[in-house]
Coordinates of all heavy atoms in Angstrom, one line a residue:
V1 N -127.6 75.8 101.0 CA -128.2 76.7 100.1 C -127.7 78.2 100.2 O -127.3 78.8 99.2 CB -129.7 76.6 100.2 CG1 -130.4 77.7 99.4 CG2 -130.3 75.3 99.8
I2 N -127.7 78.7 101.4 CA -127.3 80.1 101.6 C -125.8 80.3 101.1 O -125.5 81.2 100.4 CB -127.4 80.5 103.1 CG1 -128.9 80.5 103.5 CG2 -126.7 81.8 103.4 CD1 -129.1 80.6 105.0
D3 N -124.9 79.3 101.5 CA -123.5 79.5 101.0 C -123.4 79.4 99.5 O -122.6 80.1 99.0 CB -122.7 78.3 101.7 CG -122.5 78.5 103.2 OD1 -122.8 79.6 103.7 OD2 -122.2 77.5 103.8
T4 N -124.2 78.5 98.9 CA -124.1 78.4 97.5 C -124.6 79.6 96.8 O -124.0 80.1 95.8 CB -124.9 77.2 97.0 OG1 -124.4 76.0 97.6 CG2 -124.7 76.9 95.5
L5 N -125.8 80.1 97.2 CA -126.3 81.3 96.6 C -125.5 82.6 96.8 O -125.4 83.4 96.0 CB -127.8 81.6 97.2 CG -128.8 80.5 96.8 CD1 -130.1 80.9 97.4 CD2 -128.9 80.3 95.3
S6 N -124.8 82.6 98.0 CA -124.0 83.8 98.3 C -122.7 83.8 97.4 O -122.2 84.9 97.2 CB -123.5 83.7 99.8 OG -124.6 83.8 100.7
A7 N -122.4 82.7 96.8 CA -121.2 82.7 95.9 C -121.7 82.7 94.4 O -120.9 82.4 93.5 CB -120.5 81.4 96.2
A8 N -122.9 83.1 94.2 CA -123.5 83.1 92.8 C -122.7 83.9 91.8 O -122.6 83.6 90.6 CB -125.0 83.5 92.9
K9 N -122.1 85.0 92.3 CA -121.4 85.9 91.4 C -120.2 85.2 90.8 O -119.9 85.4 89.6 CB -120.9 87.1 92.1 CG -120.5 88.3 91.2 CD -120.2 89.5 91.9 CE -119.8 90.6 91.0 NZ -119.6 92.0 91.7
S10 N -119.6 84.3 91.6 CA -118.4 83.6 91.1 C -118.7 82.2 90.5 O -117.9 81.6 89.8 CB -117.3 83.5 92.2 OG -117.9 82.8 93.3
D11 N -119.9 81.6 91.0 CA -120.3 80.3 90.5 C -121.8 80.3 90.3 O -122.6 79.7 91.0 CB -119.9 79.3 91.6 CG -120.2 77.8 91.2 OD1 -120.6 77.6 90.0 OD2 -119.9 76.9 92.0
A12 N -122.2 80.9 89.1 CA -123.6 81.0 88.8 C -124.2 79.7 88.5 O -125.4 79.5 88.8 CB -123.7 82.0 87.6
Q13 N -123.4 78.7 88.0 CA -124.0 77.4 87.6 C -124.5 76.7 88.8 O -125.6 76.1 88.8 CB -122.9 76.6 86.9 CG -123.4 75.4 86.1 CD -124.3 75.9 84.9 OE1 -124.0 76.8 84.2 NE2 -125.5 75.4 84.8
S14 N -123.7 76.6 89.9 CA -124.1 76.0 91.1 C -125.4 76.6 91.7 O -126.3 76.0 92.2 CB -123.0 75.9 92.2 OG -121.9 75.0 91.7
A15 N -125.4 78.0 91.6 CA -126.5 78.7 92.1 C -127.8 78.4 91.4 O -128.9 78.2 92.0 CB -126.3 80.2 92.1
L16 N -127.7 78.2 90.0 CA -128.8 77.8 89.3 C -129.3 76.4 89.7 O -130.6 76.2 89.7 CB -128.4 77.8 87.7 CG -128.3 79.2 87.1 CD1 -127.7 79.1 85.7 CD2 -129.7 79.9 87.0
H17 N -128.4 75.5 89.9 CA -128.8 74.2 90.3 C -129.5 74.2 91.6 O -130.5 73.5 91.8 CB -127.6 73.3 90.4 CG -126.9 73.1 89.0 ND1 -127.5 73.1 87.9 CD2 -125.6 72.8 88.8 CE1 -126.7 72.9 86.9 NE2 -125.5 72.8 87.4
I18 N -129.1 75.0 92.5 CA -129.7 75.1 93.9 C -131.0 75.8 93.7 O -132.0 75.4 94.4 CB -128.8 75.9 94.9 CG1 -127.6 75.0 95.3 CG2 -129.6 76.4 96.1 CD1 -128.1 73.8 96.1
L19 N -131.2 76.7 92.9 CA -132.5 77.4 92.7 C -133.5 76.4 92.1 O -134.7 76.4 92.5 CB -132.3 78.6 91.7 CG -131.6 79.8 92.3 CD1 -131.4 80.9 91.2 CD2 -132.4 80.4 93.4
Q20 N -133.1 75.6 91.2 CA -133.9 74.5 90.7 C -134.3 73.5 91.8 O -135.5 73.1 91.9 CB -133.1 73.7 89.6 CG -134.0 72.8 88.8 CD -135.0 73.6 87.9 OE1 -134.6 74.6 87.3 NE2 -136.2 73.1 87.9
L21 N -133.4 73.2 92.7 CA -133.8 72.4 93.9 C -134.8 73.1 94.7 O -135.8 72.5 95.2 CB -132.5 72.1 94.7 CG -132.8 71.3 96.0 CD1 -133.2 69.9 95.8 CD2 -131.4 71.3 96.8
L22 N -134.6 74.4 95.0 CA -135.6 75.1 95.8 C -137.0 75.1 95.3 O -138.0 75.1 96.0 CB -135.1 76.5 96.1 CG -133.9 76.7 96.9 CD1 -133.5 78.2 97.0 CD2 -134.2 76.2 98.4
K23 N -137.0 75.3 94.0 CA -138.4 75.3 93.3 C -139.2 74.1 93.5 O -140.4 74.1 93.5 CB -138.2 75.4 91.7 CG -137.9 76.8 91.2 CD -137.8 76.8 89.7 CE -138.9 76.1 89.0 NZ -138.7 76.1 87.5
T24 N -138.5 72.9 93.6 CA -139.2 71.6 93.8 C -139.3 71.1 95.2 O -139.7 69.9 95.3 CB -138.6 70.6 92.8 OG1 -137.2 70.5 93.2 CG2 -138.6 71.1 91.3
T25 N -138.8 71.9 96.1 CA -138.7 71.4 97.5 C -139.8 72.0 98.4 O -139.8 73.2 98.5 CB -137.4 71.6 98.1 OG1 -136.4 71.0 97.3 CG2 -137.2 71.1 99.5
D26 N -140.6 71.1 98.9 CA -141.7 71.6 99.8 C -141.4 71.2 101.2 O -141.5 70.1 101.6 CB -143.0 70.9 99.4 CG -144.2 71.4 100.2 OD1 -144.1 72.4 100.9 OD2 -145.3 70.7 100.2
M27 N -140.9 72.2 102.0 CA -140.5 71.9 103.4 C -140.7 73.2 104.2 O -140.9 74.3 103.7 CB -139.0 71.5 103.4 CG -138.1 72.6 102.9 SD -136.3 72.2 103.0 CE -136.0 72.4 104.8
I28 N -140.6 73.0 105.5 CA -140.6 74.2 106.4 C -139.2 74.4 106.8 O -138.4 73.6 107.3 CB -141.4 73.8 107.7 CG1 -142.9 73.5 107.4 CG2 -141.3 75.0 108.7 CD1 -143.7 73.1 108.6
W29 N -138.8 75.7 106.5 CA -137.3 76.1 106.8 C -137.1 76.4 108.2 O -138.1 77.0 108.9 CB -137.0 77.2 105.8 CG -137.0 76.8 104.4 CD1 -138.0 76.9 103.5 CD2 -135.9 76.3 103.7 NE1 -137.7 76.5 102.3 CE2 -136.4 76.1 102.3 CE3 -134.6 76.0 103.9 CZ2 -135.6 75.5 101.3 CZ3 -133.8 75.5 103.0 CH2 -134.3 75.3 101.7
P30 N -136.0 76.2 108.8 CA -135.7 76.6 110.2 C -135.8 78.1 110.3 O -135.2 78.8 109.5 CB -134.3 76.1 110.4 CG -133.7 75.9 109.1 CD -134.8 75.6 108.2
S31 N -136.5 78.5 111.4 CA -136.8 80.0 111.6 C -135.5 80.8 111.7 O -135.5 81.9 111.2 CB -137.7 80.2 112.8 OG -137.1 79.6 113.9
D32 N -134.5 80.2 112.3 CA -133.2 81.0 112.5 C -132.4 81.2 111.3 O -131.5 81.9 111.3 CB -132.4 80.4 113.7 CG -132.0 79.0 113.4 OD1 -132.6 78.3 112.5 OD2 -131.0 78.5 113.9
E33 N -132.8 80.5 110.2 CA -132.0 80.6 108.9 C -132.9 81.2 107.8 O -132.4 81.6 106.8 CB -131.6 79.2 108.5 CG -130.6 78.5 109.3 CD -129.1 79.2 109.3 OE1 -129.0 80.2 108.6 OE2 -128.2 78.6 109.9
F34 N -134.2 81.4 108.1 CA -135.1 81.8 107.1 C -134.8 83.2 106.6 O -134.8 83.5 105.4 CB -136.6 81.8 107.6 CG -137.6 81.9 106.5 CD1 -137.9 80.8 105.7 CD2 -138.1 83.1 106.1 CE1 -138.8 80.8 104.7 CE2 -139.0 83.2 105.1 CZ -139.4 82.0 104.4
G35 N -134.4 84.1 107.5 CA -134.1 85.5 107.1 C -132.9 85.5 106.2 O -132.9 86.2 105.2

């Protein structure tokens, strides 16, 4: 997710798809990656 979102400027479409995934995903994120 982080890698895809970080490349949003050059690949906005993939970022949009990942954002859609995040909206519908209910989970506890690993603390070392949350920031």
